[in-house]
Amino acid sequence: MSHLSAPIAASAGLRDGARIVLHTVSPDDRACIARGFEQLSAASRQSRFLMPMRKLDGPMLDYLTAIDGNRHLAVAACTDEVEPVGLARCVRLEDEPDTAEIAVTVLDSWQRRGVAPVLVTELARWADAVAIGKFRALFGYDNRAIAKLIGAAGIPLMPDGNGMLRADIEVAQILKIGLRFAAPASA
Ligand SMILES: CC(C)(COP(=O)(O)OP(=O)(O)OC[C@H]1O[C@@H](n2cnc3c(N)ncnc32)[C@H](O)[C@@H]1OP(=O)(O)O)[C@@H](O)C(=O)NCCC(=O)NCCS
């Protein structure tokens, strides 16, 4: 478990009654993240990494687990049995330090159950505590799931060039109204 203390809930309930356990990512999560990646469909890998991705190599796992609690934040969801469910991370932009690029991944078998709103809400709580005021999401035009999630919160989607869509999401808005129905979490 991470040495970083972050203002995130320990667990959350999904709308179908399932429970997920939440924690901040640390190098201890390498194996769990690698296992989760193995379970991701090719389509979800492509949507997340914006390129075909066959495996996560050592340097990539190092990067994905090098969470410093200021520039790079990441929240993981797993089951009570510590099986991976999903991850949300953000990395502060060097030239816009109050903005961080966000990436969210939910295992295919857990998608469409409201996991992403829970993860993003917890990440927003942590981001707010370290003065990240905005999340920037970049995704492909064919990513209907993320477009639906962001669009339902009334946030405009803009072309970003390079065939991508971009959305800037105020952290305060997420904390105020949530990204749709993030279920109440337990501390
Ligand atoms: C995008 C993603 C994080 C959403 O996670 P999630 O936990 O499934 O999100 P939700 O359960 O809140 O579902 C979001 C909405 O998208 C819809 N949706 C999901 N997959 C969809 C698809 N293939 N086509 C159309 N709508 C879809 C869901 O039905 C839901 O809307 P609804 O509740 O009105 O039905 C998840 O699909 C994912 O990990 N995708 C692969 C990686 C990725 O694209 N990450 C985002 C870019 S970094």
Side-chain angles (χ1 to χ4, degrees):
M1 205 73 10
S2 179
H3 61 288
L4 294 171
S5 73
I8 67 165
S11 65
L14 302 183
R15 56 189 181 229
D16 61 8
R19 197 176 88 94
I20 51 175
V21 179
L22 302 165
H23 66 272
T24 60
V25 171
S26 80
D28 293 348
D29 290 299
R30 281 176 73 96
C32 197
I33 290 176
R35 210 159 58 241
F37 180 83
E38 291 304 320
Q39 295 171 37
L40 265 189
S41 67
S44 287
R45 290 178 186 184
Q46 166 83 37
S47 296
R48 161 62 181 89
F49 293 98
L50 305 171
M51 63 171 130
M53 195 85 170
R54 289 178 53 200
K55 79 184 277 270
L56 291 184
D57 59 16
M60 182 60 115
L61 282 168
D62 289 343
Y63 170 75
L64 293 174
T65 54
I67 305 308
D68 61 15
N70 181 43
R71 193 187 80 85
H72 189 175
L73 318 179
V75 176
C78 55
T79 65
D80 284 332
E81 293 78 32
V82 202
E83 284 307 311
V85 170
L87 274 175
R89 74 178 61 251
C90 69
V91 180
R92 203 187 283 270
L93 301 179
E94 276 185 20
D95 52 350
E96 289 178 65
D98 76 326
T99 301
E101 190 172 328
I102 186 170
V104 190
T105 313
V106 175
L107 293 202
D108 293 69
S109 53
W110 283 87
Q111 288 176 11
R112 299 182 171 220
R113 295 171 68 178
V115 174
V118 171
L119 282 169
V120 172
T121 301
E122 296 306 323
L123 189 69
R125 226 188 286 283
W126 193 2
D128 185 54
V130 296
I132 291 172
K134 213 186 288 174
F135 289 146
R136 177 160 302 157
L138 291 169
F139 49 95
Y141 277 84
D142 58 350
N143 195 334
R144 290 165 58 203
I146 199 76
K148 196 166 175 182
L149 196 55
I150 294 173
I155 295 156
L157 310 180
M158 296 160 285
D160 188 61
N162 305 316
M164 308 287 294
L165 280 173
R166 185 180 92 187
D168 281 349
I169 311 158
E170 298 289 337
V171 166
Q173 180 182 350
I174 297 170
L175 295 178
K176 196 162 161 209
I177 61 165
L179 258 189
R180 316 173 83 217
F181 18 66
S186 57

